[in-house]
Amino acid sequence: MQYCDALIVGAGPAGSTLAWRLTQAGYNVHIVDRATFPRETPCAGWITPQVVESLELSLLDYGESHTLQPVSAFVTGIIGREPLFTGYREPVGYGVIRSEFDHYLLERSGARYHLSQAVECIRRHQGLWEINERFRTPLLIGAGGRFCPVARHLGTDRGCPERAVSGEVMEWRLDAWQKANCPSRGKAAELYFYPDLKGYGWIFRKHDYLNIGLRRDDAHEPNAHFENFVHWLQETRRVPFDLSPNRREDAYLTHTSSNQTIAAEGILLIGDAADIAPAQSDEGIRTAVESALIAAHAIGNAPGDYSETNLRGYEYRLRSHFGRRSLGKRIHSDTPIASALRRRMGTWLLEHPTFVEKILLNRWLLRRHESPWLTPKTASRVQFSSTNSPQIDPTD
């Protein structure tokens, strides 16, 4: 078996970010993922300036060889009604192609990665985790999304399935005719909400790519909702051509709808595996990155002793950080009165420019009032060294 200081299951932004921080500190880190990279991910492909800061990402260098679309405006409104335009003086986000972005983070992580390898066996033996009878480690991290095998191994309650956010996403490269005739030009992302405030759709142009998607707070008939949204886009000429057949379904739980345990002896969950997606938006990359940085902080301060007591601080910090955003939770009651109130309130609020800019965009979507939880500059003040790792003979 191969011994490593930490084994991360899942090579997405959460897993790659944690591996990057740990390898910077001298840890021997391995990543296992069942997919091959680059790989497609059903996502809008959106990062904020806080993500750029947390990852120490050079936009100039990244943009030279990868798709990077600055966004400095939004078009928002109720599906079927006249939208509003909100502009900013500087970019408030960047569009990326997830296959490119995830592969970039994985390659720069510095960890040894093993792709196209599903995790089929997890067991605890003599104080270490043994994975697939191939790896031994004192610290196992689950970063494999909602269906992460490490999360399943914990055997905890993943929350109410009917509260899952579900939807579909399609993204494809535009041909020459489509590029010339597509009304979306990239600098303005378009968001169209349902009157009941239980979901929204979007159109997002990233240079030569077009991303269209839809999210709903319930799991009922996501395909039908998407079909209706696409029909409306074509009927209104927002998309005046046939769409790509490349559609991918997605589902996840938010931090307000899950009871997932995220820390135990020698084990942590990060990213979507920990069910920490924000309730008000689909901006999961930032939560994935921040959860990885919080985990790195906890690991560096658990001097080689990854007991449940020492790792409990991680769960506390994570829940405290992401639990602060209780303002704006959607009302889940589906009674006729609650539904009518949602529709009336949603239509009224989303037609007011002040609410759209200050609350919907700045607070809920962009979270501009929140600084990154832990940037590399503040992390450097933490005692964080590979000497904290357990001194275990790999051949034992």
Side-chain angles (χ1 to χ4, degrees), residues 188-223:
E190 303 177 43
L191 304 174
Y192 300 102
F193 292 81
Y194 283 89
D196 61 6
L197 300 181
K198 296 185 69 175
Y200 65 97
W202 66 84
I203 313 174
F204 193 11
R205 174 83 176 267
K206 311 170 193 176
H207 296 298
D208 294 343
Y209 292 83
L210 189 66
N211 185 292
I212 297 176
L214 182 139
R215 290 285 186 263
R216 286 283 298 179
D217 272 358
D218 54 63
H220 304 301
E221 299 184 349
N223 293 331

Side-chain angles (χ1 to χ4, degrees), residues 72-180:
S72 56
F74 288 91
V75 175
T76 59
I78 293 288
I79 295 176
R81 300 176 73 96
E82 190 68 22
L84 293 175
F85 179 87
T86 305
Y88 295 86
R89 294 181 178 180
E90 69 285 328
V92 292
Y94 302 89
V96 297
I97 305 301
R98 281 296 302 272
S99 59
E100 296 178 352
F101 186 71
D102 291 9
H103 195 208
Y104 170 84
L105 294 182
L106 177 61
E107 288 192 320
R108 79 151 194 177
S109 69
R112 293 185 61 184
Y113 47 87
H114 312 268
L115 305 179
S116 302
Q117 293 195 28
V119 172
E120 298 175 347
C121 177
I122 301 175
R123 72 171 187 144
R124 188 82 168 160
H125 181 64
Q126 295 181 350
L128 295 176
W129 292 102
E130 294 186 353
I131 311 299
N132 288 356
E133 299 184 349
R134 179 178 176 184
F135 304 99
R136 301 180 75 212
T137 182
L139 184 60
L140 178 63
I141 295 100
R146 186 184 175 201
F147 302 104
C148 179
V150 180
R152 289 202 306 268
H153 180 80
L154 285 176
T156 48
D157 183 9
R158 302 308 303 272
C160 302
E162 65 271 16
R163 298 308 177 205
V165 178
S166 62
E168 295 192 30
V169 182
M170 63 170 61
E171 182 175 85
W172 76 99
R173 193 179 190 118
L174 300 171
D175 60 33
W177 188 91
Q178 291 173 335
K179 284 190 290 184

